[in-house]
Amino acid sequence: MNRRMACCMAASLLVPPLCGASTTLVRGLVGAPDDGFQQSWHTHLGFQPVIGVRQKAPDLSMYWGTAFVPRRVETETVTFSWVGAMGGGVSSAGNFTLSVNGHPVVQFDVVSRSTHFPARYSSCDLYYDVLWTRPGGRWTENALDTSGHFFLVVDASALEPGRPVILSVTGTDIGEHRWFGIIYDATMVPAMPQRRWREFRRYPEPAQPPPATAEAGFEHYLPQYSDPGCFTPIGWPADPAETAVSPTGQLMSGLDYTRYGSGVGRSEPPYYRHSLAFAVWDGQRLVPVGAGAPARQNLYRGRYPMVYTNWTWSDFSLQGTAFSEPLAGDGYASGTERTLAWAVWDIRNYAREPREITLVAFYVGDEDAPAPEMVWRDGAVHRDGSALFSAAPSEGFSQEFHPVFPPGLVIDASRPFDALIEDRGAANALVVRGTLRPGESKHVAFNRVFDYPDAYHWKAPQLPPVPAEALTARACEAAFKRTAERWETLEKRFCFFRTPRRASTSWSARPCWTAASSPRNGTAATSSSTR
């Protein structure tokens, strides 16, 4: 059997869990792609024929048929895979559009690292596993050619069993030579790897206004912008620490982000300095929230700054609920008060048998103190004699504090963040373990104290140590209720604008006085004019 025949076979099989559930893998193409440019180019397989598209006319579109979808699909998703390449300069504009049976599903662009392209128009997800890069010749760091494996995950209910799917890629004509191509005469693609994926984020574009008769509201404009991927504030008004939650559920200070601007060591997903980060230990390595399957976030009641972070790993679903409240009192007055931030993780086992899970919460240091000395006392982790963070797991779960996790991990003082970035372990870790029966759900409530972290024009005063009881004596349910009631009270002070009549949104439909119908002329205003 030659390569071309192998590529055209309808190959499907069950692969290990992807995004929390098994998926049916459909590998290869039915024939070569149609349209697009044709040339041979450097790839991880050597010099190979490529059919592709550019972001410049006339080579703006191509389409191809996948191998046949099995007649019987017993998984929630189907993953289509193929061998491809891209190049001509890294971009975050999203000027390629992938369509499934004529429906646009994902916008992507040229990247140089393994990347997850989230759906912009539907529930599909595209992953690109980079196997090879070509930085030589006249190419610069920002103009790499790459090749590797593509994986398109589609909801099985949207597919017709026993038939191929028509995929197409269209480039936006912006006069650029960036290109995407299919290596159609290639070997079979293996199953999608379980790894950490860089998240693709598009640059914001000018938002389109609503139709003339529709309300110009939050619901219309928000979906038109991609998440900048910084953080979401969760602090009460005037919170001195500007407490926030990262896109992967880390409890952090917004002031620290504005000071440093990025995660430590270019980690992916980023670990933010002074944050309380979360990961699962799989027995050999840390799997941070957001690795493999991307984390998804939404707000409590759709508008309150109490953030849900949803993530799946293996047979578990995890939902973190992040919110905060003043550590003492009912608000902020002096600008130096402390804040207690919460991250309550609800964990559910979707397997058919009992499963053990190890959830790890750890403090991320900075360049001056990558692994500061901390101790466990009275149910909380202390730094410099002051309680910093604690955990309250459900009954049946255990918790342990480890200055270094896993025990025996050696952290190189000259490269202190390497162990964390390489998923080998972390310092100052609170480890929670437990077993869940099939379908069972339990929660672990973490909290973390945040101080005002100084500014150039205003230094933080020395505050008294925080006792462990200030963290351990609080119940997460009561704290959540207090915070929700606080935002409900504040919301009543707001005055939301609503156009009295939807037709009034359009100036062309709004009644206007004319000279002939003016009350001064003794006639009623019954006509309208167009402005």
Side-chain angles (χ1 to χ4, degrees):
M1 182 184 295
N2 59 31
R3 285 184 176 180
R4 183 63 172 276
M5 292 177 63
C7 185
C8 297
M9 287 184 60
S12 64
L13 70 160
L14 288 178
V15 300
L18 168 68
C19 300
S22 295
T23 185
T24 300
L25 180 62
V26 177
R27 303 191 286 194
L29 288 65
V30 178
D34 292 312
D35 294 341
F37 68 82
Q38 300 186 36
Q39 68 179 52
S40 293
W41 199 238
H42 304 278
T43 73
H44 66 284
L45 300 172
F47 210 64
Q48 291 287 325
V50 175
I51 297 180
V53 295
R54 295 187 175 92
Q55 296 174 6
K56 181 178 181 180
D59 304 314
L60 291 174
S61 63
M62 62 181 292
Y63 62 93
W64 69 95
T66 69
F68 286 76
V69 176
R71 294 189 178 276
R72 184 176 181 181
V73 177
E74 298 179 347
T75 57
E76 295 181 358
T77 62
V78 174
T79 300
F80 300 93
S81 63
W82 65 89
V83 185
M86 57 173 59
V90 173
S91 173
S92 297
N95 283 318
F96 289 119
T97 300
L98 174 66
S99 299
V100 177
N101 290 332
H103 301 287
V105 294
V106 175
Q107 286 185 280
F108 67 100
D109 219 309
V110 177
V111 296
S112 60
R113 292 187 289 168
S114 296
T115 301
H116 165 232
F117 301 95
R120 184 168 173 82
Y121 303 109
S122 72
S123 59
C124 299
D125 288 279
L126 178 66
Y127 297 84
Y128 178 35
D129 187 22
V130 176
L131 303 179
W132 176 88
T133 60
R134 180 179 183 264
R138 62 184 179 87
W139 302 102
T140 65
E141 180 66 19
N142 194 43
L144 297 171
D145 287 348
T146 66
S147 66
H149 299 153
F150 285 84
F151 303 89
L152 176 65
V153 183
V154 183
D155 192 330
S157 62
L159 304 175
E160 185 176 353
R163 296 186 61 84
V165 171
I166 304 302
L167 303 180
S168 63
V169 171
T170 303
T172 303
D173 188 4
I174 59 172
E176 294 286 347
H177 288 280
R178 296 188 186 93
W179 59 273
F180 160 84
I182 298 290
I183 307 172
Y184 60 90
D185 192 12
T187 54
M188 284 288 192
V189 178
M192 180 175 169
Q194 293 292 325
R195 55 162 301 157
R196 296 171 66 174
W197 300 91
R198 173 181 175 268
E199 194 83 359
F200 181 77
R201 299 187 179 96
R202 299 178 64 249
Y203 288 128
E205 299 174 350
Q208 297 300 313
T213 58
E215 195 72 46
F218 176 83
E219 295 80 4
H220 171 81
Y221 282 103
L222 181 62
Q224 299 188 50
Y225 289 93
S226 59
D227 187 345
C230 301
F231 59 84
T232 301
I234 57 173
W236 288 18
D239 175 13
E242 296 191 15
T243 312
V245 61
S246 81
T248 56
Q250 299 171 50
L251 297 177
M252 59 184 291
S253 168
L255 292 175
D256 277 336
Y257 180 87
T258 58
R259 175 179 297 179
Y260 296 103
S262 63
V264 298
R266 297 185 178 182
S267 54
E268 198 68 50
Y271 286 119
Y272 295 105
R273 295 163 182 82
H274 312 146
S275 70
L276 186 65
F278 303 95
V280 172
W281 178 254
D282 69 358
Q284 296 181 328
R285 66 187 184 100
L286 285 177
V287 183
V289 173
R296 308 290 189 185
Q297 292 185 321
N298 57 290
L299 302 177
Y300 175 60
R301 295 188 178 177
R303 59 191 185 277
Y304 294 165
M306 304 168 73
V307 180
Y308 295 120
T309 301
N310 296 280
W311 181 57
T312 55
W313 172 77
S314 184
D315 292 307
F316 294 96
S317 71
L318 295 90
Q319 182 184 72
T321 305
F323 58 97
S324 73
E325 60 179 342
L327 181 66
D330 193 35
Y332 302 101
S334 69
T336 60
E337 293 90 350
R338 289 176 164 126
T339 295
L340 186 64
W342 292 83
V344 183
W345 287 94
D346 290 281
I347 309 168
R348 181 178 292 274
N349 175 21
Y350 282 97
R352 296 181 179 179
E353 58 275 337
R355 290 289 177 87
E356 183 181 71
I357 187 169
T358 302
L359 184 62
V360 184
F362 53 94
Y363 179 84
V364 181
D366 56 30
E367 285 74 8
D368 295 330
E373 183 178 354
M374 297 187 183
V375 296
W376 171 260
R377 188 172 65 249
D378 299 329
V381 179
H382 292 66
R383 181 181 183 185
D384 297 330
S386 183
L388 186 62
F389 62 96
S390 71
S394 292
E395 184 178 356
F397 276 40
S398 65
Q399 62 173 314
E400 303 171 350
F401 174 71
H402 294 270
V404 176
F405 181 82
L409 174 71
V410 177
I411 297 179
D412 186 349
S414 63
R415 303 175 63 90
F417 294 117
D418 280 7
L420 181 59
I421 296 170
E422 295 168 2
D423 302 327
R424 291 186 284 114
N428 296 312
L430 200 50
V431 181
V432 178
R433 289 189 177 92
T435 299
L436 295 173
R437 298 188 301 272
E440 186 179 17
S441 177
K442 289 189 176 183
H443 75 263
V444 183
F446 297 92
N447 54 22
R448 153 88 157 91
V449 176
F450 283 93
D451 295 335
Y452 172 67
D454 271 340
Y456 293 112
H457 61 283
W458 187 16
K459 299 301 179 182
Q462 186 71 30
L463 298 175
V466 177
E469 295 78 19
L471 283 66
T472 59
R474 300 197 187 196
C476 63
E477 295 84 358
F480 182 91
K481 182 179 179 180
R482 284 193 300 270
T483 303
E485 290 175 348
R486 176 70 172 181
W487 290 114
E488 290 171 0
T489 301
L490 290 173
E491 185 181 33
K492 293 177 182 178
R493 304 177 187 176
F494 301 155
C495 180
F496 294 97
F497 174 78
R498 287 289 183 271
T499 305
R501 290 185 299 157
R502 288 188 178 275
S504 299
T505 305
S506 171
W507 282 103
S508 62
R510 183 170 294 180
C512 303
W513 296 110
T514 63
S517 63
S518 171
R520 290 181 297 178
N521 294 332
T523 53
T526 57
S527 63
S528 63
S529 62
T530 302
R531 292 186 180 180

